[in-house]
Amino acid sequence: MYPVYRDPRPDRGSFARYTRNLEEEVLGKAYDGRLMRRLLVYMKPYRGTVAVSLVLLLGGSLLQIVGPLITKYAIDTYLTAGKPNPAAFRGLMLLALAYLGAILFAMVLEFAQTYLMQKTGQQAMFDLRRDLIDKLQRLDVSYFDHNPAGRLLTRVTTDVDVLNELFSSGLVTIFGDLFMLTFVLAAMFQLSPGMTAMLLAVLPIVVGVMALFRRTVQKSNRRIRTAVARINSFLQEYVSGMSVVQLFNREQRARQDFDAINYDHMDAYKDAVIAYGWFYPVVEFLSMLSLALLLSWAGFGIQKGAMTIGVLVAFLQYGLRFFRPIQDLSEKYNIMQSAMSAAERIFKLLDTEPAVVSPAAPRSLPEGKLAIEFDHVWFAYKEDDWILRDLTFRIEPGETI
């Protein structure tokens, strides 16, 4: 028999109190110029590679508008011009080869751009992780008493991975989507201003759907990040203290506690899956609906001689290309929002100054045998939780106490 899944949420009281100090901070905006400037510092050593990547994106976007134009020319010049002849066949073959060449060249540009940005993102994240480790090594012991190791592990792993996604497939490719939209709109307007205006009429509905999708996924991503940090903290505490768990026979209670936090993680992902599940079909439906309306309207134009079949076919191809970057931009928004949250937490750690530092002008110990004296010493790890209270004693050289 298969094990029966049980909802662990009813048994959460003590665990909720236990994990209260393990909660992840909910920080970040969709875009923060201050954080972005600090992030770009890590990209500055690789600005040449980023510039080359932008040029490749520009070239790839230009090649995306070549295919429909070749299709339009082939249909209007050879396919609807009368009976086929050897000259028309040769012309179609040349256009087909040109189309194939444009596709292959665009593929090469996309591969080169993706490779460069992935490599650059990994190099920048290597530098960032190195700075995080350097900072952690300089912080005083009390900082680690108040910040669970699982949370710090999340900073160096999960949060940095989110920033890597921003650099490798988010920040630069946003410009690629904008290039694509600009070139496609210009090409469509050149072919038919009326049909372009009809296609843009659907855009407000698409923008509204995108806004609803962004809000839903943003909340889900925050819950996911919180759950991941809590899982990391929980595992660090229990794995490092496994001998104590087994000594006091707490395995069953540990499983129950982990079931609760694991359910939160799964439940947060459910919301994100549902959002992605309805967003792409809705945008696809709206794009197909707008193209169907365009097809119906263009049919009357072709009958009246105001439009050619080649223009219609090219415009439909541009219409498909028009909605693709809009979907991508919505996804990039979520990447940007997650990256801003991760960046705020990372820079909060990098900006933390240790409470115990070396003196600016340290004094050397005098030569010879010295006495050790405590003169009314008070000490506490926390504010009023005194470990030493007004302690005074003196140890002479060679004396044992």
Side-chain angles (χ1 to χ4, degrees):
M1 296 179 61
Y2 292 99
V4 178
Y5 174 78
R6 294 181 295 104
D7 186 348
R9 286 180 295 179
D11 188 17
R12 292 171 57 103
S14 62
F15 179 69
R17 291 190 295 270
Y18 167 74
T19 57
R20 192 168 298 155
N21 67 321
L22 306 182
E23 293 289 344
E24 185 70 296
E25 306 100 321
V26 179
L27 303 170
K29 307 174 184 177
Y31 177 79
D32 190 318
R34 174 183 57 87
L35 293 176
M36 184 57 69
R37 286 191 294 271
R38 295 190 65 176
L39 286 174
L40 291 179
V41 171
Y42 287 92
M43 297 294 288
K44 188 176 180 180
Y46 316 105
R47 54 186 178 273
T49 306
V50 175
V52 173
S53 180
L54 285 173
V55 173
L56 294 175
L57 272 176
L58 180 61
S61 300
L62 285 172
L63 288 175
Q64 291 293 329
I65 68 172
V66 172
L69 292 178
I70 293 177
T71 303
K72 169 188 173 299
Y73 185 79
I75 292 175
D76 292 341
T77 304
Y78 298 111
L79 299 182
T80 61
K83 295 182 179 181
N85 54 69
F89 179 76
R90 287 194 298 271
L92 285 174
M93 288 299 297
L94 290 175
L95 290 177
L97 290 175
Y99 203 148
L100 178 62
I103 293 175
L104 292 176
F105 192 31
M107 182 180 66
V108 172
L109 293 181
E110 183 177 0
F111 168 79
Q113 184 272 329
T114 303
Y115 172 79
L116 289 177
M117 287 312 302
Q118 289 287 344
K119 179 180 178 182
T120 301
Q122 289 298 325
Q123 290 172 328
M125 294 309 98
F126 175 86
D127 298 338
L128 181 57
R129 283 195 176 100
R130 181 184 56 198
D131 290 348
L132 285 170
I133 293 300
D134 290 343
K135 171 59 70 171
L136 289 174
Q137 291 178 335
R138 293 197 304 270
L139 292 174
D140 54 278
V141 177
S142 63
Y143 180 84
F144 299 94
D145 292 335
H146 297 88
N147 291 273
R151 177 182 292 175
L152 301 178
L153 177 66
T154 303
R155 295 293 169 273
V156 185
T157 56
T158 305
D159 286 340
V160 174
D161 288 338
V162 171
L163 294 183
N164 177 57
E165 188 176 7
L166 171 68
F167 288 132
S168 61
S169 61
L171 190 61
V172 174
T173 52
I174 288 176
F175 293 100
D177 292 331
L178 294 176
F179 291 154
M180 174 74 73
L181 278 176
T182 303
F183 295 150
V184 168
L185 278 175
M188 289 193 301
F189 189 82
Q190 182 68 26
L191 290 175
S192 175
M195 293 179 67
T196 304
M198 184 179 297
L199 185 66
L200 292 177
V202 186
L203 195 58
I205 303 177
V206 176
V207 172
V209 171
M210 289 172 57
L212 179 61
F213 169 74
R214 286 198 302 265
R215 286 196 298 269
T216 304
V217 174
Q218 178 178 344
K219 295 178 181 178
S220 178
N221 285 339
R222 286 179 175 175
R223 292 179 57 198
I224 290 172
R225 290 192 298 271
T226 299
V228 168
R230 292 174 62 190
I231 286 177
N232 288 338
S233 298
F234 181 92
L235 290 177
Q236 189 276 332
E237 294 285 341
Y238 271 81
V239 172
S240 61
M242 185 57 67
S243 59
V244 178
V245 173
Q246 295 177 348
L247 181 64
F248 287 91
N249 195 26
R250 300 284 291 179
E251 295 90 346
Q252 180 62 30
R253 186 52 183 269
R255 283 194 294 269
Q256 294 176 354
D257 291 345
F258 185 76
D259 282 345
I261 191 173
N262 196 27
Y263 185 92
D264 284 344
H265 184 263
M266 182 186 68
D267 192 52
Y269 263 105
K270 280 183 179 179
D271 294 340
V273 169
I274 292 174
Y276 280 99
W278 64 257
F279 172 68
Y280 288 103
V282 168
V283 174
E284 189 71 18
F285 170 77
L286 291 174
S287 63
M288 292 298 105
L289 179 62
S290 62
L291 293 178
L293 294 175
L294 289 176
L295 184 61
S296 302
W297 184 83
F300 294 102
I302 293 174
Q303 288 181 348
K304 296 178 181 179
M307 182 181 300
T308 65
I309 297 178
V311 170
L312 173 60
V313 173
F315 200 92
L316 291 178
Q317 290 180 330
Y318 282 132
L320 293 174
R321 286 167 168 79
F322 175 76
F323 286 99
R324 191 185 312 156
I326 291 178
Q327 292 176 324
D328 291 341
L329 284 173
S330 181
E331 178 66 20
K332 298 302 186 299
Y333 176 91
N334 295 322
I335 293 176
M336 182 75 71
Q337 199 278 331
S338 299
M340 291 299 101
S341 299
E344 188 161 357
R345 292 191 295 269
I346 286 174
F347 287 126
K348 181 180 179 181
L349 171 58
L350 290 175
D351 293 339
T352 302
E353 295 297 333
V356 179
V357 295
S358 300
R363 292 184 299 174
S364 301
L365 291 175
E367 300 291 338
K369 296 181 179 181
L370 303 175
I372 300 174
E373 182 177 3
F374 276 51
D375 186 13
H376 300 286
V377 174
W378 293 68
F379 177 78
Y381 288 102
K382 297 181 181 180
E383 293 182 356
D384 294 325
D385 189 10
W386 296 105
I387 305 299
L388 302 180
R389 297 173 180 269
D390 196 20
L391 181 63
T392 300
F393 65 87
R394 179 181 177 86
I395 306 176
E396 298 295 337
E399 184 179 7
T400 301
I401 295 180

